Amino acid sequence: MFDRDSFAEIAQTIRTNKLRTFLTGFSVAWGIFMLIILLGSGKGLQNGVEKDFKDDAVNSVFITPGSTSKAYKGMQPNRNIVFKNEDYEYIKNNIDGVEHITGRFMRWSEQVSSEKYSGSFSLRSVHPDHKFLENTIVESGRYINQKDLDDERKVIVIGRKVQQELFPTRPNPVGENLQMAGTMFKVIGVFTDEGSSGEENTVYVPVNVAQKIYNGQNQLQRIIFSTGDASLEEVNSMTERVTDYFSKKLLFDPTDTRALRVRNLAEEYQMINSIFTGINLFIWVIGIMTVIAGVIGVSNIMMIVVKERTKEIGIRKALGATPFSIVILVLMESVIITSIAGYIGLISGVALLEYLSSVVQAPMFQNPEVNFQAAIWAVILLVIAGGIAGLFPAMNAAKVKPIVALRDE
């Protein structure tokens, strides 16, 4: 059945009809090529979005004060909402399910100077748990701890890019001094961040130290907390309790979305995953439809092949060939052509994705690739496509009656 003579015969048929074989295979190769490109591009877009989420803990909630837009209990709209340190303490101690929590007091651009160099960087004054909420990776030294806050130590943790600018010749600046706002800070750590590279242009100091230096009056510009393994419903319940607390304390309508801006990353992440599930399904549908179009083309060509070889098939059957052997012969030719062409399309698609991965540096498009499971499914699709393409022509060939075939010829 799968002997050497059969393969030699198929090879001879392919050599005899080079153009027809090329056009037959190209349709399948193009379909697989487009499927791989679509899958890889979808993955690249997903990687870019997920990298953006790596900037912060996925299970975190950001609470930011705004200004009221509604009158409430005799209070006029357009009042600024202000968070205090006591609000951080209340959420930390009274909202069940909070895993890590920090307040933020920020300066968007602050001049920081070493002995020889200076630069403008983002300043975040935070609590120790900020390390977990921001997914901060300490490369050398340590992060801010509770003792730093208790003793109001003037210590600073700097991003890798800050280190490169202020200490270009020092691979480890821990223990060095930096000046900021007329105050000397001791460097206790250097960090990197898996998310946006802009995070590494940031410096961190204890929150209460910055509040005093910048006359912050115990104010916080944001409160962030993580929710551990809580479900989305439980997280929503927690945010409702936090909103209710601020509404009662600061007298604003709890439905006023401008007074309190709540960003639930768990909800956003779930929504993004749902979107990409739909995108991947759409990609597979489009890709498979493209392959099916190629299969139809192969099937049509194989029908012509069977028609051209009617006399040959009749002779084979007259000499004792069974219908099954005729079906296998046609199927083998179809499967070999589609498999080789599909493999070329697969390799071409992967090669193009590798090239795009090396040259495209867009933040929202990272490492376009096709995972191993998708490649396996593509190979399975190739074999199935070859079988389907040759099935109907093979069945027609098996029905040829020797006497009719010879008489027609």
Side-chain angles (χ1 to χ4, degrees):
M1 185 184 302
F2 298 102
D3 54 22
R4 185 175 180 180
D5 290 339
S6 297
F7 286 107
E9 183 177 346
I10 292 172
Q12 178 60 35
T13 302
I14 292 175
R15 284 194 297 269
T16 304
N17 302 280
K18 294 184 179 66
L19 179 60
R20 184 179 68 193
T21 301
F22 170 78
L23 295 176
T24 301
F26 179 79
S27 58
V28 175
W30 181 255
I32 294 295
F33 175 79
M34 290 305 300
L35 175 60
I36 295 300
I37 292 300
L38 287 171
L39 287 173
S41 299
K43 186 63 176 177
L45 183 61
Q46 185 173 357
N47 288 341
V49 173
E50 288 182 349
K51 183 177 181 181
D52 189 49
F53 271 95
K54 285 183 180 179
D55 190 30
D56 306 296
V58 173
N59 61 342
S60 57
V61 177
F62 288 65
I63 311 291
T64 307
S67 59
T68 61
S69 61
K70 301 178 182 179
Y72 183 73
K73 292 186 177 181
M75 305 297 292
Q76 296 300 313
N78 299 318
R79 290 181 297 114
N80 290 329
I81 300 300
V82 179
F83 290 171
K84 297 290 185 69
N85 289 341
E86 63 195 62
D87 300 319
Y88 157 84
E89 295 291 343
Y90 178 86
I91 296 173
K92 178 181 179 180
N93 298 319
N94 295 279
I95 302 298
D96 295 334
V98 171
E99 181 184 32
H100 300 293
I101 183 170
T102 184
R104 271 189 190 176
F105 180 81
M106 300 172 286
R107 307 279 289 189
W108 298 112
S109 180
E110 193 65 27
Q111 195 72 19
V112 184
S113 303
S114 63
E115 185 177 350
K116 295 182 179 180
Y117 304 92
S118 66
S120 182
F121 307 101
S122 174
L123 165 66
R124 291 179 182 169
S125 56
V126 297
H127 294 88
D129 276 3
H130 192 277
K131 172 185 175 181
F132 306 104
L133 293 160
E134 193 66 30
N135 288 335
T136 300
I137 302 171
V138 178
E139 277 195 333
S140 58
R142 64 174 178 86
Y143 199 70
I144 296 165
N145 59 33
Q146 189 59 44
K147 187 68 173 174
D148 295 327
L149 272 73
D150 295 340
D151 297 343
E152 297 185 0
R153 295 172 178 171
K154 295 177 177 62
V155 294
I156 188 168
V157 181
I158 64 176
R160 182 172 54 181
K161 290 189 176 180
V162 179
Q163 173 201 352
Q164 293 170 351
E165 188 165 341
L166 299 184
F167 301 99
T169 61
R170 294 292 304 272
N172 186 3
V174 173
E176 296 291 329
N177 292 319
L178 289 175
Q179 187 177 51
M180 182 172 60
T183 304
M184 296 300 295
F185 288 83
K186 182 179 180 180
V187 178
I188 60 171
V190 178
F191 73 90
T192 62
D193 194 287
E194 290 186 2
S196 170
S197 60
E199 295 291 334
E200 296 176 357
N201 277 316
T202 302
V203 298
Y204 291 123
V205 301
V207 63
N208 53 351
V209 172
Q211 286 172 334
K212 285 192 173 183
I213 291 175
Y214 294 101
N215 194 28
Q217 300 176 355
N218 295 330
Q219 294 182 9
L220 295 173
Q221 295 160 336
R222 183 170 293 163
I223 295 176
I224 312 167
F225 61 87
S226 63
T227 57
D229 297 327
S231 66
L232 184 58
E233 292 74 16
E234 291 170 333
V235 175
N236 289 334
S237 176
M238 293 168 64
T239 59
E240 287 176 5
R241 280 178 280 160
V242 171
T243 301
D244 184 64
Y245 159 74
F246 281 115
S247 172
K248 291 177 179 178
K249 180 190 175 187
L250 303 177
L251 294 177
F252 64 84
D253 190 329
T255 64
D256 189 349
T257 55
R258 288 181 55 188
L260 205 66
R261 294 190 292 274
V262 179
R263 185 187 178 196
N264 185 345
L265 286 192
E267 186 174 32
E268 291 182 13
Y269 189 71
Q270 187 178 80
M271 180 182 67
I272 290 296
N273 279 337
S274 298
I275 291 173
F276 276 107
T277 298
I279 289 175
N280 287 330
L281 178 61
F282 177 76
I283 286 172
W284 272 105
V285 169
I286 295 300
I288 289 174
M289 292 301 293
T290 305
V291 172
I292 288 175
V295 167
I296 292 173
V298 173
S299 184
N300 289 334
I301 293 296
M302 294 307 297
M303 291 287 284
I304 297 174
V305 169
V306 169
K307 182 67 175 176
E308 290 177 349
R309 298 173 66 181
T310 299
K311 182 178 181 179
E312 174 193 334
I313 293 171
I315 294 173
R316 284 176 179 272
K317 297 190 73 175
L319 294 175
T322 64
F324 181 72
S325 65
I326 299 297
V327 169
I328 289 299
L329 183 65
V330 178
L331 281 178
M332 282 178 61
E333 182 173 345
S334 175
V335 169
I336 288 174
I337 292 174
T338 53
S339 297
I340 293 175
Y343 183 73
I344 293 172
L346 176 65
I347 295 301
S348 300
V350 171
L352 180 58
L353 289 177
E354 288 293 328
Y355 173 74
L356 291 176
S357 180
S358 64
V359 299
V360 177
Q361 303 295 330
M364 295 301 292
F365 190 79
Q366 299 282 330
N367 301 322
E369 58 189 359
V370 177
N371 60 37
F372 180 75
Q373 186 178 10
I376 292 298
W377 277 108
V379 172
I380 293 173
L381 189 62
L382 289 179
V383 177
I384 294 174
I388 293 175
L391 181 60
F392 295 106
M395 292 175 62
N396 286 338
K399 294 177 182 178
V400 172
K401 294 180 179 181
I403 188 66
V404 175
L406 295 174
R407 185 181 61 199
D408 290 343
E409 292 296 328

